[in-house]
Amino acid sequence: GNSVTQMEGPVTLSEEAFLTINCTYTATGYPSLFWYVQYPGEGLQLLLKATKADDKGSNKGFEATYRKETTSFHLEKGSVQVSDSAVYFCALRILTGGGNKLTFGTGTQLKVEL
Amino acid sequence: DGGITQSPKYLFRKEGQNVTLSCEQNLNHDAMYWYRQDPGQGLRLIYYSQIVNDFQKGDIAEGYSVSREKKESFPLTVTSAQKNPTAFYLCASSINGIDRGETQYFGPGTRLLVL
């Protein structure tokens, strides 16, 4: 089956620190990969995505590269801000006859302190 | 502004009671989804629909039912058969549920609590 594994949180960083949130996946086919972000009490928002190997998704200073050889899609940001505090979800999608079904990881909470 | 609305924000269910969660979108999307979020478990798919009057079970459909009579609306009913309904419920939509890199857009969620 398909699955996504994320590093457990919470991850606590000081403002302007470098962020890495690890994400690895197992898939029966050739997935598209996504990072979603959830701010407290809200729904999820797409942060970035990549649809084929070696693609780099980027948005708001965050980036992630689709690594097929290591089945990974790690999220990075060079300098985090307090406003980046949220829960981050890695997800994959395999194109099947069953529609646009996303498989999510368990989420990683990020806390950024001054 | 286009988007997805869910109501109510909080919902309380008594034992043996069915409750219905509302989801409406004005994005003109064909596909809609319901997810359940539990602490430490990420999101799990309950039901999805790619077109009006058609829907499919997701990974955890037992104890839930849906309808899709209008393109804009995809209500979820939590029945009394769902023994552990306390969770955060998220509705989402996407253009057609087909494209490889298609984005799903999420509503703000409904938190269901059992009295």
Side-chain angles (χ1 to χ4, degrees):
Chain A
N2 303 321
S3 66
V4 175
T5 302
Q6 291 181 236
M7 61 189 290
E8 288 198 19
V11 173
T12 303
L13 297 173
S14 298
E15 202 169 40
E16 299 184 1
F18 185 85
L19 168 70
T20 299
I21 299 178
N22 290 337
C23 171
T24 57
Y25 66 89
T26 301
T28 54
Y30 190 5
S32 297
L33 301 172
F34 303 81
W35 276 103
Y36 279 85
V37 59
Q38 184 178 35
Y39 298 100
E42 297 183 7
L44 277 68
Q45 303 172 27
L46 177 69
L47 183 59
L48 52 84
K49 65 182 179 182
T51 59
K52 59 184 188 295
D54 300 325
D55 269 2
K56 178 186 285 188
S58 61
N59 186 27
K60 300 180 181 179
F62 291 90
E63 56 183 38
T65 301
Y66 188 142
R67 300 290 188 199
K68 191 176 181 182
E69 64 276 13
T70 55
T71 62
S72 65
F73 193 53
H74 304 321
L75 183 68
E76 297 181 336
K77 187 176 185 183
S79 176
V80 294
Q81 306 299 312
V82 172
S83 58
D84 294 326
S85 298
V87 180
Y88 292 81
F89 291 92
C90 186
L92 69 81
R93 182 204 171 206
I94 294 284
L95 188 63
T96 68
N100 189 1
K101 295 166 61 176
L102 288 170
T103 298
F104 286 89
T106 55
T108 301
Q109 185 177 14
L110 171 65
K111 297 180 180 178
V112 181
E113 302 172 336
L114 290 171
Chain B
D1 287 339
I4 301 175
T5 56
Q6 291 186 243
S7 61
K9 187 171 183 178
Y10 295 94
L11 186 58
F12 299 91
R13 193 191 92 163
K14 296 179 181 178
E15 291 287 340
Q17 185 182 42
N18 293 353
V19 292
T20 297
L21 285 62
S22 170
C23 176
E24 303 278 333
Q25 54 98 359
N26 61 4
L27 299 169
N28 200 31
H29 286 172
D30 284 319
M32 297 187 74
Y33 315 81
W34 274 106
Y35 292 91
R36 170 179 170 143
Q37 185 178 18
D38 295 281
Q41 293 194 44
L43 279 73
R44 292 179 290 170
L45 183 66
I46 305 172
Y47 269 98
Y48 65 98
S49 167
Q50 288 186 268
I51 196 169
V52 173
N53 291 324
D54 187 44
F55 48 83
Q56 286 78 41
K57 293 181 179 180
D59 300 319
I60 55 165
E62 185 175 351
Y64 300 97
S65 65
V66 294
S67 62
R68 186 85 189 275
E69 297 177 0
K70 298 187 300 182
K71 186 175 183 176
E72 303 78 24
S73 178
F74 191 41
L76 173 73
T77 296
V78 184
T79 74
S80 57
Q82 172 50 243
K83 297 306 178 188
N84 184 23
T86 297
F88 191 47
Y89 290 86
L90 288 160
C91 179
S93 72
S94 64
I95 291 175
N96 56 29
I98 297 173
D99 183 65
R100 179 178 170 77
E102 190 177 89
T103 298
Q104 287 190 18
Y105 297 86
F106 285 80
T110 292
R111 189 164 298 278
L112 177 61
L113 300 166
V114 177
L115 295 176

